[in-house]
Amino acid sequence: MTLIIKLTILSVLLTFVKTDFPLDFDVPDVEIERSDAETMFRLPEDLDPIHYDAEIIPYFEATSNREAFTFDGLVTIYVRATRSGINSLIVQENVREILHITVTDEANVPILLNPMNPFERLRQFHFLRINLGDGVTLENNRVYKLTIGYLGNINETPLSRGVFRGSYKGSDGRIHWYAATHLQPTNSRQVFPSFDEPGFKSTFNITIYRPIHFTESYSNMRIAESTVVGDRVKEVFHQTPRMSAYLVTFHISEEFTVIADNNDAARPYRILARPNARGQGEYALEVGPPLTRWFEDYFGIDYYTMGPDMKNDQIAVPDWASGATENWGFVSYREVRLLYEEGETNALDKKYIGTITAHELAHKWFGNLVTCRWWDNVWINEGFASYFEYFAMDGVDPSMELEAQFNLFYLQSALSADQSASTRALQHTVNTPAQVTGHFSGISYSKGASLLLMLKHFVTENTFRKALNYFLVDRSYEHAFPFHLYQSFAKAVAEDSTVDRSINMTEFMRYWVEERGYPVLNVNVNMNTGLIELTQERFFISASAQTTDQAWHLPLTYTTGSNPDWNNLKASEVMTGKTHRIQKEARHEWVIFNLQQKGIYRVNYDTHNWEMIASALKQNRENIHYLNRAQIVDDVFALMRSERITFNLGFQILEFLKDETNFFVWYPAVSGFTWLRNRFLHLPDTLAEFDAILLGYLNAVINELGYDVRPADTHTTILNRFFILAYACNIGHEGCLNNAVEKFTALRTNGVSVNPNLRRHVFCEGLRDGGYEDWRFLYQRRLNSNNMGDQVAMLRALGCTTNERAIQEFLQMVLSDDVKAQDRVNALTFLYMGDRNNAKVALQFVKQRVNDIRRAVVLPAWFDNVLINLASYLDEEGLQDMEAWLRANQATVPEFQTGLNAITSARTNMQWGTDRASAILRAARGSAAIVVPTIMLLLTTSIAMMIR
Ligand SMILES: *[C@@H]1O[C@H](CO)[C@@H](O)[C@H](O)[C@H]1NC(C)=O
Ligand SMILES: *[C@@H]1O[C@H](CO)[C@@H](O)[C@H](O)[C@H]1NC(C)=O
Ligand SMILES: [Zn+2]
């Protein structure tokens, strides 16, 4: 699956990048209590499911004996006994009702069930236990057929996964229903009783009885046979490849259709969607087939021969819980992640269409063909898919500079996700469905992918490729443990001798997989002797964290001021212990480690080396590779926060940003500045001065970018402008505000279209500046839009209003069908992001409508997020109000403890700012070339206020 970035701890998904959320939430992970009972959630391994036949009859309307939005199911599972003496069979199920069960041998001779108690449903564990008659047992290695008739639910929203229903408004203005499935990670058990763990692989024959007035249904495979049966059409699909049950899918609808097709019978590739999205599938079709080829070349295994008669469909589903899901032969995406419309889709969403397609296609090899044995190592699926998300798409379209973007969107995000004391290792024990879902978290994606990047440069790309090929060939149609991967690397490295023989690849990799966190490399250079003394220790973002005795295998790369070489990314040394020494030439020059930031570590230097780097950056920053400038910026903010360097030194190094215009350098800078600024929101004087200083940093980059998209802009220039202007407007940059309001007015009064890459700040500032009528204008524009990316952009902007009536209508809208369940938590957050004061209004709404909100966001974890996000935006007065409410309503708000913890975090964040405000201002001011006179400062901020 594709992660949509975390609003907080548990939320699923890459929809939002780091800087998308100006308030980051330092909420400690809550350790879920463990007990022996948890392993009870795992299936015994005495049965091997070989094949499933599953038949589904969906009811979209009530009949005399069936409720609407239910289905009849009939499944036969062919199982092989892997031991003798089995007297009861256990499968997983979470269906509505079990109707009947029979067990036979292969020749259909019935096996006697216990007449008193033929089966039991152990609901807590989602188990169905089938009891054989007294003294009746299965024989080892024989095949049996287990047939179960049952009723299932078509859930109300995609968030419940399993089979769910969704809807959209057609060109005819009517609401059209469809039913879809989302079974990853633990929800095939909602569709049929199953062996719902990734390690069990089977083939599946799916049959659907669709209503006759519906269009043809879709599943992993093509339809083999279609016959009319009464008022339904029976559609029998071809047998799937041998695969895990979570990869099964189907889609039943009135009118979903193919909107783009490569018309290549040998290598079919199609884009499907609701019919009124026609015209939006061309970009997805443009990237998909070349990506498929790229993977085939890279892995040496063809996609279209993975099974007989393979297809490669991608469907855009209006309602989808995650970003996308890799069902074999029929991948599902949120619309915004697949549908592109020129003039409506922005560059960031366009990039995600490419990268997420790459991610899902990569899963065909890593995830579908070879699958992690169990979800404790979900990184084997998700780390690879995330790595290739950038590197495969880079192979298909180098103009997006995705190899470099990987550093921002995965490597730096891994460093940030993995820096707390409560972080998890890539390999992390999980048992319950909630724990499983929780491990589909940032670490599994970003650290998994970053580990692969580091490995590639360590063993060299040819050897890396060879190792992956060994792994895929060895484990095809099977599951894999991490040691299979380690062995493949050890073998490839031994053959190619690309790594020093003293390095044991298994130990190298295992440490990174099994240990939590990552190191900071401390570098001490003796300028007189040229001796570099290195130490490593686990990096914690909190200054008060206890050190550990962990030591990683660290491939080291570095270069020097007198002879900089940024392109030799092969490690010159491997650090294996806590300390290491390198002797270089004695020279008065800086050194910089972690070239182009390909390694998972931060770097701290002695003060003198830092000062030399600061001065080199200031004098001629282009002498230092832009990815190392980006690395330095990202590290410096983390080192300041963790008190490993002073704010004075940090801001001295960051001084060069005043001349910097590069996207890759500014992206972490915006994140870093935003993090600090968020800790001053409760200190108006500090905030005003800090903003004035920040505005000084932005002049050069804004001058370079301008306020309009230009034909010659590169992809990353467009992204840079997109993020920089959103940030600049948000902190009150006058030019940005004026230009935004001008563009918004031109749109409203003369219908002058706003470039999608400027809409985020233009729409937001237009509403901040405007009144109720402006809000209604955008609200209506959103309802009329036929493009999901544009709709989400407007939903976000609608939260920027400060008009009281508009805020109330916004809150009502969030609970209505105008906002899809999957977007509701984000929508509420957009409101606080738009204006922090809106959080107090939202709090009153939450207090009044708590049960409606809980129902509207569907999942308990998502409701937790509502409370957590709200607290993180409230000021002290609001926090007191929220705290009093939670304490007084513990019976009706059982999630109160989550809310109280979030309140504590919010206060801690404010206190952090209060304690350090003067030191940070002093440091930031010290670096300000021109000290802004106080009167000027007051003037600019008051203008900014007025313009808002
Ligand atoms: C499943 O379908 C395939 C055709 O796709 C067929 O050959 C096979 O016999 C079916 N299996 C069962 C058990 O019906
Ligand atoms: C590498 O380490 C693993 C685990 O410690 C060990 O089993 C293996 O024999 C080692 N390999 C070599 C070549 O020494
Ligand atoms: Zn994925």
Side-chain angles (χ1 to χ4, degrees):
M1 91 173 106
T2 303
L3 195 74
I4 289 195
I5 276 213
K6 320 198 311 182
L7 276 164
T8 58
I9 11 177
L10 255 194
S11 305
V12 215
L13 329 177
L14 281 182
T15 299
F16 301 109
V17 293
K18 232 183 345 178
T19 46
D20 271 13
F21 282 95
L23 279 187
D24 36 83
F25 315 108
D26 296 347
V27 179
D29 284 345
V30 184
E31 273 297 316
I32 304 162
E33 267 184 50
R34 290 186 183 291
S35 65
D36 292 342
E38 283 173 6
T39 50
M40 278 292 294
F41 282 86
R42 299 292 303 280
L43 284 175
E45 294 180 21
D46 50 14
L47 295 175
D48 177 18
I50 302 164
H51 176 82
Y52 293 62
D53 284 331
E55 289 186 7
I56 305 286
I57 308 176
Y59 297 92
F60 288 83
E61 281 148 29
T63 67
S64 56
N65 59 354
R66 289 287 183 266
E67 284 178 42
F69 301 118
T70 61
F71 64 89
D72 291 348
L74 181 66
V75 68
T76 298
I77 314 178
Y78 295 65
V79 295
R80 184 186 301 279
T82 61
R83 65 175 179 90
S84 56
I86 297 169
N87 179 245
S88 71
L89 292 68
I90 295 182
V91 298
Q92 283 156 323
E93 59 87 4
N94 188 17
V95 300
R96 188 181 174 98
E97 199 183 330
I98 298 288
L99 299 178
H100 56 82
I101 297 177
T102 56
V103 180
T104 71
D105 69 8
E106 241 182 328
N108 296 325
V109 177
I111 308 282
L112 187 68
L113 302 189
N114 183 324
M116 305 307 295
N117 187 16
F119 65 88
E120 300 160 76
R121 300 183 75 190
L122 311 176
R123 301 298 294 138
Q124 181 194 357
F125 301 110
H126 296 165
F127 280 169
L128 175 65
R129 181 157 63 207
I130 299 155
N131 301 312
L132 302 185
D134 230 12
V136 179
T137 57
L138 303 186
E139 277 176 50
N140 186 19
N141 213 22
R142 279 192 60 185
V143 174
Y144 298 89
K145 287 156 69 169
L146 169 58
T147 300
I148 305 171
Y150 59 98
L151 299 180
N153 288 315
I154 302 179
N155 295 320
E156 195 176 335
T157 78
L159 303 186
S160 307
R161 306 207 176 181
V163 189
F164 68 90
R165 59 191 188 262
S167 66
Y168 61 92
K169 202 188 277 177
S171 329
D172 54 5
R174 271 203 317 117
I175 294 296
H176 294 264
W177 291 103
Y178 63 88
T181 67
H182 187 165
L183 310 191
Q184 193 185 40
T186 55
N187 299 288
S188 76
R189 65 191 70 169
Q190 289 197 61
V191 182
F192 37 59
S194 65
F195 292 77
D196 195 9
E197 295 185 7
F200 291 104
K201 294 201 172 186
S202 322
T203 50
F204 297 82
N205 283 10
I206 306 287
T207 299
I208 308 277
Y209 290 80
R210 65 154 159 99
I212 200 162
H213 62 283
F214 272 35
T215 188
E216 71 172 281
S217 307
Y218 301 99
S219 182
N220 304 79
M221 310 305 288
R222 263 188 268 265
I223 293 177
E225 192 190 310
S226 183
T227 44
V228 175
V229 182
D231 59 354
R232 292 182 179 266
V233 177
K234 177 185 182 188
E235 296 165 322
V236 181
F237 294 86
H238 284 286
Q239 180 174 314
T240 68
R242 186 173 138 86
M243 66 187 200
S244 314
Y246 74 90
L247 293 169
V248 169
T249 190
F250 52 80
H251 186 99
I252 308 168
S253 77
E254 284 177 55
E255 52 167 28
F256 269 67
T257 189
V258 175
I259 61 163
D261 189 340
N262 71 347
N263 293 309
D264 181 341
R267 304 178 55 80
Y269 198 96
R270 306 189 300 178
I271 313 298
L272 294 92
R274 55 186 165 88
N276 50 343
R278 260 203 194 85
Q280 301 187 26
E282 298 308 320
Y283 182 65
L285 182 65
E286 185 184 318
V287 296
L291 280 167
T292 307
R293 278 261 189 236
W294 190 96
F295 284 119
E296 291 178 335
D297 290 348
Y298 200 90
F299 297 139
I301 298 173
D302 282 353
Y303 174 81
Y304 291 96
T305 58
M306 285 180 178
D309 209 27
M310 293 297 289
K311 67 185 174 72
N312 203 351
D313 285 342
Q314 325 288 314
I315 184 169
V317 189
D319 308 77
W320 201 256
S322 67
T325 307
E326 63 265 26
N327 314 308
W328 216 339
F330 192 72
V331 183
S332 304
Y333 299 74
R334 272 191 185 198
E335 284 196 355
V336 65
R337 295 290 164 251
L338 193 66
L339 300 182
Y340 174 86
E341 195 175 354
E342 189 69 34
E344 304 293 339
T345 305
N346 65 40
L348 188 64
D349 286 336
K350 183 177 185 182
K351 165 189 127 172
Y352 282 134
I353 293 171
T355 55
I356 290 184
T357 299
H359 179 111
E360 303 310 329
L361 292 178
H363 271 314
K364 299 299 156 303
W365 288 263
F366 286 96
N368 299 14
L369 190 59
V370 179
T371 315
C372 58
R373 169 64 179 81
W374 172 240
W375 299 120
D376 57 346
N377 278 296
V378 61
W379 75 274
I380 291 185
N381 290 14
E382 298 303 341
F384 277 100
S386 300
Y387 170 86
F388 285 108
E389 181 181 325
Y390 276 71
F391 288 89
M393 191 55 206
D394 188 54
V396 166
D397 183 359
S399 76
M400 285 191 181
E401 300 173 77
L402 290 170
E403 178 171 10
Q405 284 202 50
F406 182 92
N407 283 27
L408 309 183
F409 292 90
Y410 273 133
L411 200 133
Q412 289 174 7
S413 101
L415 295 179
S416 151
D418 204 19
Q419 64 194 4
S420 77
S422 62
T423 183
R424 302 175 171 155
L426 284 173
Q427 177 170 310
H428 175 80
T429 304
V430 291
N431 286 301
T432 68
Q435 290 168 353
V436 165
T437 308
H439 198 40
F440 276 82
S441 64
I443 298 279
S444 298
Y445 291 72
S446 61
K447 191 183 187 184
S450 301
L451 174 58
L452 295 170
L453 176 70
M454 186 163 76
L455 271 173
K456 176 179 76 176
H457 288 290
F458 182 52
V459 306
T460 73
E461 181 146 23
N462 281 339
T463 306
F464 178 76
R465 239 173 113 160
K466 190 181 209 180
L468 298 194
N469 178 264
Y470 284 153
F471 177 69
L472 288 171
V473 169
D474 180 35
R475 303 307 302 166
S476 280
Y477 305 103
E478 301 292 339
H479 59 248
F481 288 100
F483 73 81
H484 291 118
L485 191 62
Y486 307 158
Q487 282 171 351
S488 304
F489 271 88
K491 183 175 168 200
V493 162
E495 283 173 11
D496 293 2
S497 305
T498 46
V499 168
D500 190 290
R501 302 187 60 173
S502 67
I503 300 294
N504 180 318
M505 282 310 291
T506 297
E507 284 176 9
F508 179 109
M509 292 172 70
R510 203 171 77 181
Y511 203 86
W512 280 100
V513 169
E514 294 180 6
E515 290 290 320
R516 311 189 306 154
Y518 63 87
V520 54
L521 180 70
N522 298 307
V523 179
N524 206 313
V525 193
N526 186 326
M527 300 279 171
N528 299 321
T529 62
L531 182 67
I532 307 175
E533 292 188 84
L534 304 168
T535 61
Q536 61 159 305
E537 59 184 298
R538 170 135 168 226
F539 179 78
F540 290 107
I541 195 63
S542 159
S544 58
Q546 291 288 313
T547 57
T548 68
D549 57 6
Q550 288 165 289
W552 286 260
H553 279 52
L554 269 193
L556 299 178
T557 53
Y558 72 99
T559 194
T560 60
S562 60
N563 187 20
D565 173 3
W566 304 101
N567 295 318
N568 184 4
L569 303 180
K570 177 95 177 83
S572 55
E573 322 244 343
V574 184
M575 181 166 182
T576 52
K578 299 276 287 181
T579 62
H580 191 77
R581 291 174 157 210
I582 296 176
Q583 182 66 57
K584 69 165 188 76
E585 230 181 305
R587 237 201 175 120
H588 196 241
E589 60 177 358
W590 50 255
V591 302
I592 288 179
F593 276 78
N594 202 0
L595 299 183
Q596 297 193 37
Q597 202 175 19
K598 303 301 184 195
I600 310 176
Y601 57 99
R602 297 197 186 279
V603 192
N604 193 8
Y605 304 95
D606 62 81
T607 306
H608 186 64
N609 194 66
W610 268 131
E611 284 170 350
M612 292 190 72
I613 291 173
S615 132
L617 285 167
K618 187 70 194 156
Q619 276 159 26
N620 191 353
R621 65 178 188 284
E622 299 285 347
N623 275 351
I624 293 172
H625 193 281
Y626 65 97
L627 290 181
N628 279 100
R629 305 206 296 279
Q631 170 229 2
I632 287 167
V633 168
D634 192 58
D635 281 354
V636 159
F637 278 106
L639 295 169
M640 288 196 294
R641 277 176 61 186
S642 62
E643 296 176 14
R644 286 166 190 275
I645 63 172
T646 62
F647 291 107
N648 277 334
L649 179 58
F651 275 89
Q652 191 185 334
I653 302 161
L654 297 176
E655 177 78 15
F656 79 100
L657 288 170
K658 289 175 182 161
D659 304 313
E660 182 62 77
T661 58
N662 185 293
F663 166 65
F664 295 91
V665 190
W666 262 108
Y667 188 85
V670 167
S671 303
F673 283 135
T674 302
W675 191 91
L676 289 177
R677 183 180 184 272
N678 285 341
R679 270 122 200 102
F680 300 150
L681 297 181
H682 61 298
L683 307 169
D685 295 343
T686 304
L687 187 65
E689 186 176 351
F690 195 63
D691 281 352
I693 294 168
L694 294 184
L695 290 173
Y697 274 88
L698 288 170
N699 286 334
V701 64
I702 292 182
N703 278 343
E704 164 102 2
L705 293 170
Y707 297 117
D708 290 290
V709 178
R710 299 162 189 161
D713 283 339
T714 64
H715 168 75
T716 58
T717 302
I718 292 172
L719 290 185
N720 201 18
R721 187 183 297 106
F722 179 81
F723 288 115
I724 288 283
L725 291 185
Y727 173 62
C729 267
N730 201 44
I731 65 171
H733 185 279
E734 222 183 303
C736 183
L737 294 175
N738 291 339
N739 188 275
V741 170
E742 201 176 291
K743 287 192 163 74
F744 186 80
T745 309
L747 170 69
R748 239 210 103 177
T749 51
N750 299 321
V752 179
S753 173
V754 180
N755 186 296
N757 297 300
L758 305 173
R759 285 181 190 172
R760 179 172 286 186
H761 70 278
V762 168
F763 286 175
C764 182
E765 297 309 328
L767 293 197
R768 273 184 187 160
D769 178 66
Y772 177 72
E773 291 306 320
D774 295 291
W775 191 84
R776 278 306 290 193
F777 163 77
L778 204 68
Y779 171 86
Q780 200 55 50
R781 193 178 175 281
R782 174 171 176 272
L783 289 187
N784 296 339
S785 167
N786 188 31
N787 178 272
M788 194 66 89
D790 192 33
Q791 285 175 30
V792 173
M794 286 187 274
L795 180 62
R796 183 182 177 117
L798 288 172
C800 294
T801 187
T802 54
N803 179 282
E804 218 146 288
R805 186 167 162 205
I807 296 167
Q808 290 302 334
E809 287 186 24
F810 185 98
L811 289 165
Q812 300 290 345
M813 174 184 75
V814 172
L815 296 191
S816 78
D817 288 341
D818 285 347
V819 175
K820 298 232 175 241
Q822 71 219 26
D823 295 323
R824 289 191 180 129
V825 177
N826 289 354
L828 286 172
T829 309
F830 291 151
L831 188 65
Y832 330 141
M833 280 167 54
D835 190 303
R836 197 182 181 211
N837 292 323
N838 292 348
K840 274 196 239 176
V841 187
L843 173 61
Q844 303 315 314
F845 186 75
V846 170
K847 283 158 65 174
Q848 286 155 18
R849 306 282 302 270
V850 61
N851 290 329
D852 295 334
I853 293 171
R854 190 185 288 110
R855 209 173 308 119
V857 302
V858 185
L859 301 179
W862 288 34
F863 182 73
D864 287 349
N865 288 348
V866 170
L867 296 179
I868 292 166
N869 297 345
L870 183 58
S872 67
Y873 283 87
L874 286 169
D875 60 11
E876 180 52 35
E877 191 194 341
L879 290 175
Q880 284 176 16
D881 189 358
M882 181 170 173
E883 183 175 359
W885 168 67
L886 287 172
R887 290 199 188 281
N889 292 282
Q890 301 189 0
T892 47
V893 190
E895 307 84 352
F896 68 94
Q897 195 54 51
T898 303
L900 292 178
N901 291 348
I903 290 171
T904 305
S905 297
R907 289 193 172 126
T908 307
N909 286 346
M910 285 194 251
Q911 193 59 43
W912 194 97
T914 307
D915 293 345
R916 289 162 185 79
S918 62
I920 293 173
L921 276 186
R922 211 178 313 122
R925 231 187 263 135
S927 76
I930 311 151
V931 177
V932 190
T934 321
I935 183 74
M936 259 294 284
L937 191 93
L938 286 175
L939 216 63
T940 37
T941 45
S942 59
I943 289 171
M945 296 293 181
M946 273 159 53
I947 290 175
R948 279 153 183 254

